[in-house]
Amino acid sequence: MQIEVAQGDISQFKAEAIIVNWVEGAATPAGATASVDKALGGLLTRELQTLPQVFKGKLGETCVLPTYGQLVARYVVVVGLGSVEALNALQLRRASAAAIRACGKLKVKQVASLLHGSDLNGSDLQGAGGAENSPERLARLLAEGALLGDYQFMLRKGKKTAESQKESAGNEDEELGGHGLETLTIVAPQAEQLKAIELGLGLGRMIGVHTNLARDWVNDSANYVTPTFLKTQAQALQGVTCEVLDFDQIRKLGMGAFELVAKGSDEPPYLIHLCYKPSGKASKKVALVGKGVTFDSGGLSLKPPASMELMKMDMAGAAAVLATLKAISEFKNLDVEVHGFIATCENMPSARSSKPGDVVTAMSGKTIEVNNTDAEGRLILCDALTYAQQQTDPDELLDLATLTGACVTALGKVAAGIMGTSDDLINRVRAAGEQAGEKLWQLPLYEEYQSFLKSDIADLINSGSKGQAGSSAGGMFLKAFVDKNRAWAHLDIAGPAWVTSDVPETPKGGTGFGVRTLLYYLYNLN
Ligand code: BES
Ligand code: MN
Ligand code: ZN
């Protein structure tokens, strides 16, 4: 879907459907919605007032009204903004996503939208995270929401024959998407706004497109998304350097923990290092590390079928890092030097697999007793963290990983866990998440949890917490590989990386969680 900007009166705009909005509980519309209402002889006000049981203007609620030839557009899509007192970024994004999905169901190709929020005056937008209702911000949120809401994973749907189309007619799931929308035009009444809208649109587009790219990678199956696939994607990026360590180099560098996980599979593992350098002097150096287990069977500590079913998503951290590097390499105006490290392999049972109880030496020199081969994420990440710090000595180090089921138990699919060595860094990442519409909740790394890492025969054990504080235990393990005084944050995204309920801006499946937070975090450093 292309998103464009035009100046004019939306009620006259040449599109198949036009999107307007409604504040919850409002008796009359304002601004562009009012001009559409007027062009329709007051139809909106009449219909919406007589149908309060159908449409109240609640956030994300939609109502489609045919225009019967009174406008160029065949349909008016009214989307609820929710209550004005609380109108914030999430509302603007969600309203936009919901409206786009309603248009998708209409099977139209050309749609136009007013700029949600622009008809409300600034003071109405208090609670919007401090930001005012600048056209730039509103356009960014509109574009983000539209792209996120329009997303559908279509890569593995077979080419449709006329026959199969007939069969699937009326199937709600199929109708939900593939949406087929070609163009969304943001129609602004004033020419002075166009520049700011373009600017916001550029940012929103970057954020939406790359979140959707990460979603594609997470949604796609493990027989397509292999470590080699991720390597190929990384090498295809323009505007960044890409170094790839293969299995031989991983071994030679002494990454015994990474090697132990990778050796059970026939798919070759890689440690990918991407680097983005700003054209001028860098204000800061950041290293991002992503867990890229393209399939996690558990290894010989095999997962039961129900837990294994979704383990193609165990590379969601890697997808977020890769998509973020792609976004900044294309957008270019970031003053921060960013390194992306992706440790990618499969975790499989085989005659070559590691056995529970094996002891290995990690790149840092620490020895690890692997009592559970299913706690593989921390094993590949500990070596990737050591390598990332040795190579780049970053000011700030972040890792993203679908690390523990315990984090899903603790926070559900609603929020990621975040923990680390610097409250300042953690707070900034959480604030970026807030701006981005992604929740991160801090979990502790108390000294007492150190006891979880105790092994009788090695320096550390990879799974020692036995039903207690599993996410913090994972964090403590990783912390043992982070240099003293390094600002480091670990994001356990096991919950929100994959969702099963359908929220307008987050369709079920892979969510691309982390891309938006990372982008806001990085651009906030600018
Ligand atoms: N990839 C899983 C964690 C996971 C679980 C991600 C559910 C997404 C949804 C990870 O490798 C794992 O298996 N963790 C173990 C750790 C345990 C053995 C210490 C877990 O959570 O059970
Ligand atoms: Mn595992
Ligand atoms: Zn895993």
Side-chain angles (χ1 to χ4, degrees):
M1 180 179 60
Q2 296 289 341
I3 309 183
E4 294 167 359
V5 186
Q7 192 231 323
D9 175 355
I10 193 167
S11 68
Q12 307 305 317
F13 198 79
K14 199 164 168 286
E16 291 160 274
I18 54 179
I19 298 167
V20 297
N21 62 41
W22 205 272
V23 170
E24 186 171 355
T28 52
T33 305
S35 96
V36 171
D37 191 32
K38 201 167 152 215
L40 286 169
L43 178 79
L44 293 190
T45 315
R46 256 193 337 271
E47 286 298 311
L48 299 184
Q49 271 176 357
T50 52
L51 291 173
Q53 67 277 37
V54 182
F55 182 88
K56 296 190 176 71
K58 281 192 189 312
L59 178 59
E61 215 181 345
T62 55
C63 176
V64 178
L65 297 168
T67 62
Y68 298 119
Q70 292 185 70
L71 301 184
V72 186
R74 287 180 58 199
Y75 304 102
V76 174
V77 175
V78 191
V79 65
L81 291 180
S83 78
V84 174
E85 283 77 46
L87 195 63
N88 55 26
L90 180 139
Q91 282 175 290
L92 291 162
R93 212 181 264 119
R94 181 161 300 171
S96 172
I100 277 295
R101 290 176 74 160
C103 291
K105 287 191 182 162
L106 294 173
K107 303 262 183 265
V108 293
K109 291 191 166 65
Q110 317 291 334
V111 304
S113 177
L114 57 72
L115 190 60
H116 299 298
S118 61
D119 297 326
L120 304 164
N121 60 48
S123 64
D124 286 337
L125 282 164
Q126 290 306 311
E132 81 303 9
N133 60 343
S134 68
E136 183 180 342
R137 170 174 174 276
L138 297 177
R140 164 167 52 77
L141 293 168
L142 187 151
E144 271 184 37
L147 288 164
L148 295 172
D150 190 41
Y151 177 78
Q152 244 225 334
F153 181 62
M154 295 299 285
L155 245 46
R156 302 297 162 208
K157 291 266 189 205
K159 280 219 168 59
K160 279 198 179 157
T161 59
E163 208 47 44
S164 75
Q165 250 166 7
K166 244 186 260 161
E167 274 166 30
S168 68
N171 177 331
E172 184 64 20
D173 265 0
E174 301 240 351
E175 280 178 7
L176 252 180
H179 295 159
L181 291 172
E182 285 170 6
T183 322
L184 166 64
T185 310
I186 303 175
V187 183
Q190 292 143 15
E192 312 86 81
Q193 293 186 330
L194 295 191
K195 235 198 155 96
I197 292 176
E198 280 286 2
L199 221 63
L201 178 54
L203 261 164
R205 197 188 279 127
M206 168 186 68
I207 293 164
V209 163
H210 290 90
T211 301
N212 287 343
L213 183 63
R215 288 173 173 181
D216 268 348
W217 291 333
V218 175
N219 281 323
D220 206 356
S221 327
N223 57 324
Y224 293 102
V225 178
T226 58
T228 304
F229 172 89
L230 291 180
K231 179 193 75 162
T232 309
Q233 294 294 319
Q235 286 171 330
L237 300 195
Q238 309 271 313
V240 289
T241 58
C242 178
E243 281 170 357
V244 177
L245 304 182
D246 64 14
F247 206 176
D248 271 350
Q249 291 163 299
I250 288 166
R251 280 201 193 92
K252 282 201 185 105
L253 283 162
M255 298 184 180
F258 191 176
E259 176 186 358
L260 170 133
V261 178
K263 70 179 184 172
S265 169
D266 286 345
E267 292 289 341
Y270 298 102
L271 182 56
I272 303 164
H273 176 189
L274 295 161
C275 172
Y276 164 86
K277 282 206 166 100
S279 47
K281 198 176 145 24
S283 59
K284 227 171 198 171
K285 197 195 294 175
V286 171
L288 309 172
V289 180
K291 170 180 173 182
V293 174
T294 57
F295 191 75
D296 181 11
S297 72
L300 287 182
S301 309
L302 198 65
K303 285 183 185 294
S307 319
M308 203 192 295
E309 202 178 308
L310 270 177
M311 280 303 135
K312 65 175 183 181
M313 60 75 91
D314 211 16
M315 36 58 74
V321 171
L322 195 51
T324 299
L325 265 291
K326 185 165 157 57
I328 59 179
S329 71
E330 285 171 12
F331 210 66
K332 286 193 172 72
N333 65 352
L334 180 71
D335 285 341
V336 183
E337 180 174 325
V338 185
H339 295 266
F341 291 89
I342 287 155
T344 179
C345 67
E346 284 185 342
N347 185 22
M348 297 292 278
S350 78
R352 276 174 287 108
S353 295
S354 67
K355 296 164 278 291
D358 284 357
V359 176
V360 285
T361 307
M363 189 186 187
S364 78
K366 287 197 161 82
T367 58
I368 306 165
E369 177 190 358
V370 179
N371 62 320
N372 190 329
T373 65
D374 198 13
E376 85 296 342
R378 62 200 72 184
L379 295 173
I380 72 171
L381 285 176
C382 72
D383 280 338
L385 287 168
T386 302
Y387 185 72
Q389 292 173 97
Q390 272 191 12
Q391 290 287 305
T392 67
D393 186 24
D395 298 312
E396 296 183 352
L397 173 66
L398 279 74
D399 74 76
L400 285 86
T402 45
L403 205 73
T404 64
C407 208
V408 192
T409 305
L411 303 172
K413 309 232 144 245
V414 175
I418 183 169
M419 55 212 100
T421 54
S422 158
D423 282 340
D424 168 55
L425 173 60
I426 288 169
N427 290 337
R428 278 185 288 112
V429 175
R430 291 192 65 205
E434 182 102 1
Q435 289 172 287
E438 296 183 325
K439 292 188 171 69
L440 298 122
W441 191 257
Q442 187 173 0
L443 298 174
L445 294 179
Y446 293 129
E447 267 314 297
E448 286 89 333
Y449 297 146
Q450 200 66 40
S451 64
F452 293 150
L453 308 179
K454 271 219 179 86
S455 159
D456 290 337
I457 58 169
D459 297 337
L460 300 161
I461 196 159
N462 80 327
S463 167
S465 77
K466 300 269 180 302
Q468 294 177 47
S471 306
S472 293
M476 287 305 279
F477 183 93
L478 295 178
K479 190 181 167 199
F481 297 87
V482 172
D483 300 336
K484 242 188 150 166
N485 301 326
R486 177 88 58 201
W488 161 72
H490 159 59
L491 281 63
D492 191 333
I493 63 171
W498 185 279
V499 297
T500 43
S501 68
D502 219 17
V503 172
E505 72 277 23
T506 315
K508 60 186 171 191
T511 59
F513 189 97
V515 177
R516 285 191 273 158
T517 297
L518 287 177
L519 288 172
Y520 276 93
Y521 154 75
L522 289 171
Y523 281 91
N524 287 346
L525 291 174
N526 237 12

